[in-house]
Amino acid sequence: MATPLQYQVAVIGGGAAGIFTAINVARLQPEWKVVVIEKTGKLLSKVKVSGGGRCNVTHACFDKKLFPLFYPRGASLIKKTAHHFFTTDTIQWFQERGVELKTEPDGRMFPVTDTSQTIIDVLLQEASRYQVEFRLHATVEDVSKENNQFLIRLGNGHFVRATYCCVASGGMLQERSLHWTKTMGHTLVPPVPSLFTFNAPSNSLIKLMGVSVPQVRVRIQGSKFEETGPLLITHWGFSGPAILRLSAWGARWLQEKNYQFTIHINWLEGEGWNSANLSAHFDTQRNLQPTKQLLTSGLFQLPKRLWAHFLSEAEIDETCRFATLSARQKNKLIKLLTDQEIAIAGKTTFKEEFVTAGGIDCSQIDLLRLESKLVPGLFFAGEVLDVDGITGGFNFQHAWSSGYLAAMGIADSPNH
């Protein structure tokens, strides 16, 4: 065996959580040697692409009681981490290092520069300042513990020995990448995708790709899952915050259905219409403006292309007036507007912002230190834990919070 490289701390994973852990350990224990082991040739690759290349750093929610409600899985851990490193701490941390964040109307927070490179640069500058080492193109094949030291076997034949090991390898798309945690007694909650868009390839709506509605209600038939918010029609189906939130909350349920399910959309949710009050509204219009054409009536704040599509689907001619609208046409149009049924067949990963539900079972983790209850000195941070948030900066906030808490736990450990 090649002579192992010796460190106090080895962090597995060069993403947001891993590098934030490494920076904070090295800051708290400046004498220690800290290494980040990354299997690819790139650090912070998810930070680079997130938010369309702008990096959605966190979310402007400043209520610690409310914050855990944005996490379909892992809310109990988020309750703890929020008390130690919260949104306000993230904003301050970046601010103190010259990075100002701005808040968009939907609560997402980005650097004022509108480029993720700003975030990458400040993290790597901090890593350099505290002399964090990086080993790239280094796949972790196995981790074992002997004589109170972790021995990490890398794919290139090298070994790393460390007093503490923090696993921050991100959402695991394959369980086998963490097989060694099972050997140590940990339970892996099987990974399933979260944050994805819904495919409806056979639906005529996809001709309207690019059309969006700011407030719809989407319900998944046969389930308790329902969301309101913006919806975007794409060339393969549906995206937008309402859909992405549904994909997060329903991640396991939808996987069990093999992503074959039915959604119901109320396109007029933002205007307060449902099937009951809409029927009366049409009758009122018949009396008030009988000769008015439906197509040009401006009755709802829907995009014109979408309104024309619904009229066509309800077999209503472009020249149809309120007075000549038949009861059958009216009922069909109301159904389309307030309770359109759409068959979904499959999913598409949302850009590069894929997230997985699943990971290390949080019940086996000390939630105040993020240390394994089974293996002293083994810590976890970020998405490798069975924690995931909805879209909007919540997954990055978990990376910063858990990275900070794991670093505190390592730096304060009794056996160094």
Side-chain angles (χ1 to χ4, degrees), residues 89-100 122 129:
D89 300 297
T90 299
I91 295 165
Q92 186 182 343
W93 192 91
F94 283 102
Q95 200 170 40
E96 285 171 355
R97 288 153 183 84
V99 177
E100 293 289 335
V122 75
R129 177 182 170 190

Side-chain angles (χ1 to χ4, degrees), residues 41-94:
K42 287 182 183 172
L43 298 167
L44 301 164
S45 54
K46 212 163 173 182
V47 171
K48 179 80 175 165
V49 299
S50 101
R54 295 193 297 147
C55 187
N56 184 184
V57 176
T58 186
H59 196 93
C61 171
F62 304 109
D63 184 336
K64 289 180 182 176
K65 287 195 176 76
L66 198 58
F67 208 74
L69 303 179
F70 295 100
Y71 293 82
R73 284 148 293 270
S76 58
L77 184 142
I78 297 298
K79 275 179 195 167
K80 301 284 188 193
T81 60
H83 283 283
H84 296 274
F85 198 87
F86 192 44
T87 315
T88 45
D89 300 297
T90 299
I91 295 165
Q92 186 182 343
W93 192 91
F94 283 102

Side-chain angles (χ1 to χ4, degrees), residues 163-292:
T163 311
Y164 303 101
C165 178
C166 180
V167 186
S169 49
M172 34 158 214
L173 298 174
Q174 280 129 5
E175 285 183 70
R176 65 174 179 270
S177 61
L178 285 173
H179 65 91
W180 56 269
T181 60
K182 288 184 172 179
T183 311
M184 290 181 170
H186 279 281
T187 304
L188 284 176
V189 179
V192 297
S194 180
L195 291 194
F196 48 83
T197 60
F198 295 175
N199 294 355
S202 59
N203 195 285
S204 56
L205 272 169
I206 60 175
K207 293 183 306 203
L208 304 180
M209 62 180 180
V211 167
S212 64
V213 178
Q215 185 79 348
V216 305
R217 179 177 293 275
V218 188
R219 176 171 62 85
I220 298 177
Q221 184 175 298
S223 82
K224 62 182 186 206
F225 305 114
E226 183 176 292
E227 285 288 336
T228 59
L231 180 141
L232 171 69
I233 299 170
T234 70
H235 63 274
W236 62 82
F238 304 98
S239 185
I243 297 295
L244 294 171
R245 286 199 290 267
L246 273 179
S247 78
W249 288 106
R252 292 207 172 276
W253 192 91
L254 295 171
Q255 195 236 10
E256 285 165 15
K257 298 286 181 213
N258 199 26
Y259 307 105
Q260 310 288 318
F261 56 98
T262 300
I263 60 171
H264 293 251
I265 303 177
N266 179 353
W267 295 94
L268 300 176
E269 174 69 24
E271 298 179 52
W273 296 111
N274 55 42
S275 58
N277 62 13
L278 196 52
S279 181
H281 187 52
F282 276 117
D283 293 343
T284 302
Q285 295 307 311
R286 180 194 289 271
N287 293 328
L288 290 178
Q289 43 182 9
T291 60
K292 184 76 176 172

Side-chain angles (χ1 to χ4, degrees), residues 148-162:
N148 276 337
Q149 293 270 304
F150 290 93
L151 186 65
I152 302 165
R153 178 163 60 86
L154 305 179
N156 57 11
H158 291 152
F159 289 82
V160 166
R161 200 187 291 281

